Amino acid sequence: QYWDLGLSIKYPDNWGAPLFLSGQMNLAQSVQAAQGQTVTEPVVAMSIRNVSELGLTKDASLQDIVAAMSAGPGVTFSNQRNITMAGLDTAFLDLRDDTNKLYGAAFAFRLPDGRLGSLISVAPFDEWVDFAPTLDSMQQSIRILKPTDFKVPASAGSSVTFPPGGMAFSVPQGWEDRKSVV
């Protein structure tokens, strides 16, 4: 679950734990690949973007956004189309990075609150054909998190007070009342 983006995604059991870097969740088998040091295996990244970071205007289309997110030296695009992912309108395109010898897929979507989300995956040329079905499965597993996905901590019935504000409130189990030092 990527709380910052409000989405969950299923990924292969033999992959490492998600790595969170600079507003992005990276998924890969190895930490080195997830850190982006080398792309010798498939890597999937989910992130939050805004149009100003991409040098685009507020009225930019999802197709413009997905192209801007995926651009780079040696990168070419094909098969651009609109799809639905997690119930959201999504722009999708295939990418080919001849500089780094990678195939990939990029998705861009607007969340209900207006933020932009992206899912970008890459794999070496010789691994893409084996990875593509896994990516399809991952992409189809994405769902928007709902309030019921967030667990409310158990309350111990204890309460703390904040005398300057004239307030008392219950705290979750395991929390302690601490006197502030002014």
Side-chain angles (χ1 to χ4, degrees):
Q1 295 179 335
Y2 186 28
W3 301 108
D4 292 353
L5 199 51
L7 296 174
S8 71
I9 184 172
K10 293 180 181 178
Y11 60 96
D13 289 337
N14 64 340
W15 284 25
L19 185 63
F20 298 92
L21 300 166
S22 305
Q24 182 168 294
M25 179 179 73
N26 293 347
L27 300 166
Q29 282 182 301
S30 72
V31 172
Q32 293 79 13
Q35 289 174 334
Q37 294 171 357
T38 60
V39 181
T40 58
E41 63 190 67
V43 177
V44 175
M46 291 183 82
S47 63
I48 300 170
R49 306 280 184 171
N50 65 55
V51 291
S52 63
E53 286 177 316
L54 301 170
L56 300 172
T57 62
K58 288 183 182 180
D59 61 346
S61 71
L62 286 173
Q63 291 79 14
D64 293 337
I65 292 165
V66 74
M69 288 186 313
S70 309
V75 175
T76 56
F77 307 111
S78 63
N79 201 19
Q80 187 168 331
R81 61 191 183 276
N82 295 324
I83 64 169
T84 301
M85 187 166 65
L88 303 169
D89 291 335
T90 303
F92 165 80
L93 56 81
D94 290 322
L95 61 94
R96 179 184 171 115
D97 180 344
D98 287 321
T99 303
N100 297 299
K101 299 184 180 1
L102 303 170
Y103 286 122
F107 305 83
F109 48 89
R110 281 191 177 87
L111 292 163
D113 64 6
R115 292 177 301 146
L116 298 173
S118 67
L119 175 89
I120 299 174
S121 65
V122 293
F125 284 165
D126 61 342
E127 291 186 38
W128 182 256
V129 72
D130 294 325
F131 173 63
T134 301
L135 175 62
D136 270 351
S137 178
M138 291 173 73
Q139 180 258 323
Q140 291 173 17
S141 78
I142 296 173
R143 66 181 183 80
I144 296 176
L145 295 172
K146 297 177 173 53
T148 54
D149 294 316
F150 297 84
K151 293 188 180 3
V152 177
S155 181
S158 63
S159 63
V160 295
T161 60
F162 181 62
M167 298 186 299
F169 49 92
S170 296
V171 294
Q173 192 171 7
W175 286 30
E176 298 177 10
D177 184 9
R178 206 178 266 183
K179 303 293 181 208
S180 60
V181 179
V182 181

